[in-house]
């Protein structure tokens, strides 16, 4: 319903009633906290406000009472109504997940052309939480209001990353070789992941620098192994050796160039290559999207050919399954959703889709070519007449090349306010690639992703 019609004062009759039903969700509590400035932890969904060991998520009573205004302003009397007064008596509590029913009943009209309503808010089972009385100035003229132009709200939370952390924290911690954590962010990220029991860090690099950074920033290195290496290439090679020797089950990039980290990993002799090309995957938590979004490849393969793209897709499917997505939906991107020989990425996309149909790519549903809009928007896919289980609901986006993948991921991060975890898959162990601009949440999520994947592929070190 997008059009609301009012009932002018002269048409109001005593006994008239109206109601609205509303499901209280966690986002309502965050919106009210920001709008009111009331940051009482009892009202914040993930906080334990009374220290009893579990979050309360109590809906603020004034938020519950405010639902009365939605009936008065939208239905009875409707658009054009202004409050004169409202009394509220709070009889019970609502919580996130409760369905609430706000009702108003006209009990009197005054000579001052105001209307007095009996007001209540109750749970769906009839338990009254709020009761009171409202006096309003009703509109004098009949009119309607179309609400389709009212801006929507997106709560900038990252619940999908929170779920990843919940999944990873009970698992055995992975021994992770952290290469050159010689500045604050990289060192803090590794120690934070250790605190969350995601990893057991082995710090490899200039020991004096590492200890100095820890001291300057109040970070404790108690119980943390440090392997002293004079140079970054030496540190990276040491990490590779540790994986070969079974002393580490994952690698994390610290404060060094990505090329220096990957060079020993990619060596034909003594590296960590398998029979599959390695590829980078951004695991993204995008506000407003109801699932994780994986973007690949945005950091390793510059202009991948078709065989490389097969490995890129398979790596992404394998990682998605490690993150709990049983049958990932893979959208292979191009500029258009039709095959055009003049756009090579459409040919690759079509080939990948058919290869998945024939079992050459396994574990996921692959469709392409898809333009970005009809890969992630069901309405856009329907407008274009696309009928598939992937179009409009892709969980993995495969970019045509590194430039487009990197731009897509950065746009999601810096314009859509997504958080991004970054890992490299296809080597003998997962490799965490952090950016200097990554937030604490991103760094933790990257370690959680690596830990979940290591657990699934059998790395228990």
């Amino acid at each position: 319903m997008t059009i609301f019609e009012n009932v002018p004062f002269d048409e109001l009759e005593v006994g008239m009633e109206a109601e609205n039903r509303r499901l209280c969700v966690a986002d309502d509590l965050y919106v009210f906290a920001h709008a009111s400035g009331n940051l009482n932890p009892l009202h914040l969904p993930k906080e334990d406000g009374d220290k009893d060991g579990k979050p309360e998520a109590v809906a603020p009573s004034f938020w519950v009472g405010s639902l009365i205004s939605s009936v008065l302003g939208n239905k009875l009397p409707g658009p054009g109504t202004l409050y004169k007064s409202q009394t509220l008596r709070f009889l019970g509590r609502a919580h996130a997940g409760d369905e609430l029913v706000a009702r108003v009943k006209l009990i009197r009209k005054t000579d001052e052309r105001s209307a007095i309503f009996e007001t209540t808010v109750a749970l769906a089972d009839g338990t009254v939480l709020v009761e009171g009385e409202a006096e309003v100035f009703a509109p004098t003229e009949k009119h309607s209001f179309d609400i389709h132009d009212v801006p929507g709200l997106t709560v900038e939370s990252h619940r999908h990353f929170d779920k990843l952390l919940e999944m990873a924290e009970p698992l055995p911690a992975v021994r992770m070789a952290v290469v050159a954590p010689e500045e604050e962010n990289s060192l803090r990220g590794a120690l934070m992941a250790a605190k969350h029991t995601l990893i057991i860090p082995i710090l490899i690099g200039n020991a004096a620098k590492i200890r100095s950074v820890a001291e300057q920033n109040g970070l404790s290195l108690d119980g943390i192994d440090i392997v002293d290496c004079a140079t970054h290439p030496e540190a990276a090679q040491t990490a590779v050796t540790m994986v070969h020797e079974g002393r580490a089950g994952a690698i994390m990039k610290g404060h060094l160039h990505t090329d220096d980290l990957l060079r020993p990993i990619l060596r034909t002799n003594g590296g960590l290559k398998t029979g599959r090309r390695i590829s980078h995957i951004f695991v993204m938590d995008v506000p407003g999207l109801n699932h994780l979004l994986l973007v690949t490849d945005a950091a390793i393969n510059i202009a991948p050919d078709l065989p490389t793209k097969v490995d890129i897709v398979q790596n992404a499917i394998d990682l998605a399954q490690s993150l709990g997505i049983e049958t990932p939906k893979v959208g292979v991107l191009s500029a258009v959703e039709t095959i055009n020989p003049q756009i090579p990425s459409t040919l690759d996309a079509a080939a990948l889709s058919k290869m998945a149909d024939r079992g050459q790519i396994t574990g996921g549903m692959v469709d392409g070519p898809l333009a970005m809009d009809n890969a992630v928007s069901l309405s856009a896919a329907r407008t274009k007449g696309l009928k598939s289980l992937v179009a409009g609901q892709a969980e993995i986006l495969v970019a045509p090349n590194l430039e487009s993948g990197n731009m897509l991921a950065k746009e999601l991060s810096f314009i859509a306010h997504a958080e991004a975890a970054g890992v490299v898959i296809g080597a003998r162990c997962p490799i965490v690639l952090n950016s200097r601009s990554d937030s604490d949440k991103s760094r933790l999520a990257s370690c959680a992703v690596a830990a979940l994947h290591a657990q699934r592929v059998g790395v228990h070190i």
Side-chain angles (χ1 to χ4, degrees):
M1 180 178 181
T2 62
I3 298 177
F4 295 125
E5 293 186 351
N6 66 8
V7 181
F9 181 84
D10 290 341
E11 297 180 19
L12 289 174
E13 297 180 3
V14 172
M16 281 183 165
E17 296 182 82
E19 70 174 42
N20 266 348
R21 290 179 176 264
R22 171 70 177 269
L23 179 66
C24 177
V25 297
D27 283 355
D28 291 324
L29 311 189
Y30 287 124
V31 170
F32 184 84
H34 280 281
S36 68
N38 178 5
L39 302 179
N40 181 349
L42 283 168
H43 302 316
L44 300 179
K46 297 176 184 177
E47 303 300 326
D48 178 11
D50 59 7
K51 306 303 180 185
D52 66 349
K54 59 183 179 181
E56 289 74 34
V58 179
S61 295
F62 259 68
W63 178 84
V64 176
S66 73
L67 300 182
I68 295 166
S69 68
S70 72
V71 190
L72 295 169
N74 297 341
K75 293 185 174 180
L76 187 68
T81 299
L82 290 173
Y83 258 123
K84 183 178 181 183
S85 67
Q86 170 80 60
T87 62
L88 297 171
R89 290 178 293 279
F90 302 111
L91 308 176
R93 305 293 180 196
H95 297 79
D98 287 339
E99 184 182 15
L100 303 174
V101 185
R103 293 188 179 91
V104 304
K105 179 179 180 180
L106 181 59
I107 56 176
R108 189 165 72 254
K109 296 170 70 174
T110 75
D111 294 338
E112 299 175 350
R113 301 188 68 78
S114 67
I116 299 173
F117 291 86
E118 175 186 277
T119 61
T120 61
V121 181
L123 296 173
D125 65 5
T127 302
V128 177
L129 304 180
V130 181
E131 65 180 14
E133 194 171 276
E135 184 173 1
V136 300
F137 295 111
T140 58
E141 302 293 335
K142 186 81 171 178
H143 64 273
S144 60
F145 175 59
D146 189 339
I147 65 166
H148 78 279
D149 284 333
V150 175
L153 292 177
T154 299
V155 175
E156 194 177 310
S157 64
H158 298 98
R159 65 194 68 182
H160 305 305
F161 275 7
D162 292 338
K163 182 179 178 181
L164 289 181
L165 293 174
E166 290 173 6
M167 291 168 59
E169 285 180 356
L171 300 177
V174 176
R175 289 184 65 83
M176 184 172 287
V178 186
V179 182
E182 298 164 356
E183 56 81 49
E184 180 187 358
N185 289 333
S186 56
L187 181 57
R188 188 184 298 277
L191 298 179
M192 222 176 7
K195 184 177 179 180
H196 282 260
T197 69
L198 301 173
I199 69 171
I200 300 172
I202 307 164
L203 309 181
I204 307 172
N206 186 307
K209 286 185 179 179
I210 294 170
R211 291 191 177 97
S212 175
V213 170
E215 184 177 352
Q216 291 171 17
N217 294 280
L219 303 175
S220 172
L221 297 178
D222 291 346
I224 304 294
D225 290 340
I226 301 177
V227 179
D228 190 23
C229 292
T231 66
H232 288 170
E234 181 187 348
Q237 180 59 58
T238 300
V240 170
T241 301
M242 283 188 166
V243 173
H244 278 296
E245 294 175 350
R247 291 190 287 154
I251 294 174
M252 179 192 290
K253 175 179 177 284
H255 191 57
L256 77 165
H257 291 297
T258 300
D259 288 348
D260 287 337
L261 178 69
L262 293 180
R263 194 171 290 114
I265 291 172
L266 296 178
R267 286 197 182 110
T268 302
N269 296 318
L272 299 179
K273 292 198 298 184
T274 63
R276 190 185 294 177
R277 284 291 290 266
I278 72 167
S279 59
H280 180 272
I281 303 165
F282 275 119
V283 180
M284 312 204 74
D285 190 338
V286 185
L289 198 62
N290 63 3
H291 57 79
L292 285 169
L293 186 67
L294 280 63
V295 176
T296 188
D297 180 348
I300 301 292
N301 298 286
I302 297 173
D305 56 14
L306 181 60
T308 301
K309 287 183 179 180
V310 171
D311 287 348
I312 288 172
V313 172
Q314 192 65 65
N315 285 341
I317 290 172
D318 291 350
L319 181 63
Q321 290 179 329
S322 297
L323 305 183
I325 305 173
E326 186 174 344
T327 307
K329 301 178 182 69
V330 183
V332 188
L333 298 179
S334 186
V336 294
E337 67 281 349
T338 54
I339 298 171
N340 184 338
Q342 293 182 315
I343 306 178
S345 60
T346 66
L347 301 176
D348 286 350
L352 292 167
S353 179
K354 182 53 67 175
M355 291 172 81
D357 290 343
R358 300 289 170 86
Q360 292 172 273
I361 298 171
T362 61
M365 295 180 283
V366 182
D367 191 15
L370 293 173
M372 180 65 184
D373 57 346
N374 47 57
V376 299
S377 167
L378 277 171
S379 61
R382 289 173 181 145
T383 298
K384 295 290 182 68
L386 299 178
K387 297 179 181 179
S388 84
L389 294 174
V390 175
Q393 47 193 338
E395 295 156 320
I396 298 171
L397 299 178
V398 180
N401 50 43
L402 183 145
E403 295 104 311
S404 57
N406 194 274
M407 285 186 279
L408 172 58
K410 296 295 174 61
E411 286 162 358
L412 289 171
S413 293
F414 291 96
I415 297 176
H417 306 291
E419 290 277 12
V423 292
V424 173
I425 302 297
R428 285 184 54 175
C429 70
I431 302 156
V432 174
L433 284 187
N434 289 317
S435 168
R436 284 171 294 180
S437 62
D438 282 348
S439 68
D440 289 348
K441 177 64 74 71
S442 288
R443 292 174 186 274
L444 275 179
S446 293
C447 291
V449 169
L452 288 165
H453 189 63
Q455 172 75 14
R456 179 173 172 271
V457 299
V459 178
H460 300 294
I461 298 169

